[in-house]
Amino acid sequence: MSDGTATPTPGAQAAHHVPTIPTTVSPSHLAVAGTTMAHPQSKQPSHDCPILVWMLSLNREVSKDEYDACYKVVKDCVPHAKIKYTPTNSESFKQCITLMMPLLMMRHRRIPRSKWRDCQTTTGKHWIEQTPDDISPDKFLHSMIGYHLTYNGSLCGMAMTQGTQRKVVNIGIGIKHVSVDPLGITVPEFVESQSHKLTELELKSIVQPEDTVTLRRLCVILALKDAYIKAIGQPLGFDFSRLEFNVDNETAIGDGHPLQGWEFRIYRANLGVARRDQITSQIYQCVVAFFRGTRESNFIWYHNAKELESWVQFINIDQMLKVIPKLV
């Protein structure tokens, strides 16, 4: 596989005012290669606050019993989540199983649910704080785990990092299905429907003679913007056109000011999804955004599955359901 592709193994509230886009984050306040999009050789990520990502493939349909099992786990172990019980609603199941990912992550760390609590900032940014009983005071401050959850189509994602609370909350993940929406429309029609999220420069860089290239370029920019907006804790309804990503030059601006100090990790994922009796192939463009406070923002492109092995883990529905008894 190449071009940043990895194959897994086995709310709408508009802002009532226009906030200033944080081009940097003060600690006191808180890929496509070849013809698809040009970029230089991959840069190396920082070792401070290492990033881990789990991606859960919704690779098949689920039964009511399976929905009930996931819903019960969320109800019992994720008290901040308010999900209406609707077993026939696929969105409800996606919300439930995505909210289970931090539980699984802490289980892998062998930390029981009674030994940690889920916290959030005033802007809804989540971090996990362990009980200090079993941690030395000097290590406790650096034991906070910031994370962000999202899903799109048949792919759920969780990006996480560990360090001090003020650092780890500045993380976000964006996932975009590389497909037109709704199905059946042309790529130019889809680009037109998304043009209000783009600047003139972005629109010019996206539109290419080949529709497949145009679609992939569009999804890269939308995933970049989504990841950044989630990392800074902005609400749904944020005006994406206030951001401009010049991907070819690997620069970004917000409200006319450079976005400094950010790390953007860009990769793709291939899924095989069973729907009734057919297996369909789906491609997703993924971006993780994290504020590191460096002089410039850093765009890191991952070209193949091997490059992702050290920090991206793929799981599927069956693997999650299998460990439910251990999560509670």
Side-chain angles (χ1 to χ4, degrees), residues 75-194:
K75 184 177 180 181
D76 293 343
C77 300
V78 191
H80 65 268
K82 307 298 180 184
I83 300 179
K84 185 178 179 180
Y85 178 76
T86 50
T88 58
N89 187 322
S90 62
E91 290 297 301
S92 179
F93 176 74
K94 291 177 186 179
Q95 292 172 10
C96 286
I97 202 165
T98 302
L99 286 166
M100 291 166 61
M101 295 176 78
L103 301 175
L104 181 60
M105 180 263 293
M106 296 304 287
R107 167 65 188 176
H108 272 241
R109 290 171 174 251
R110 301 186 182 280
I111 302 174
R113 184 64 183 90
S114 60
K115 292 288 187 178
W116 58 272
R117 64 190 184 102
D118 195 295
C119 312
Q120 60 178 314
T121 67
T122 55
T123 57
K125 298 294 298 174
H126 284 265
W127 83 93
I128 290 173
E129 180 179 298
Q130 303 174 51
T131 55
D133 306 343
D134 304 321
I135 307 175
S136 61
D138 58 321
K139 292 184 179 180
F140 177 72
L141 292 177
H142 295 271
S143 68
M144 309 302 166
I145 302 172
Y147 72 90
H148 178 249
L149 305 171
T150 193
Y151 64 84
N152 181 261
S154 300
L155 186 61
C156 309
M158 175 177 66
M160 69 201 98
T161 188
Q162 183 170 329
T164 61
Q165 184 268 338
R166 291 179 177 179
K167 286 186 177 181
V168 300
V169 294
N170 302 312
I171 192 167
I173 181 171
I175 300 174
K176 292 298 176 185
H177 186 194
V178 184
S179 174
V180 296
D181 184 23
L183 292 175
I185 66 173
T186 65
V187 169
E189 289 172 336
F190 182 55
V191 171
E192 176 62 26
S193 73
Q194 302 297 305

Side-chain angles (χ1 to χ4, degrees), residues 4-7 53 55 265-269 301-314:
T5 301
T7 303
V53 170
M55 314 221 70
R265 299 189 181 191
I266 307 158
Y267 62 99
R268 295 208 316 244
W301 300 79
Y302 292 85
H303 305 276
N304 53 61
K306 187 171 181 58
E307 294 179 350
L308 299 177
E309 289 177 355
S310 64
W311 66 283
V312 179
Q313 175 70 48
F314 285 92

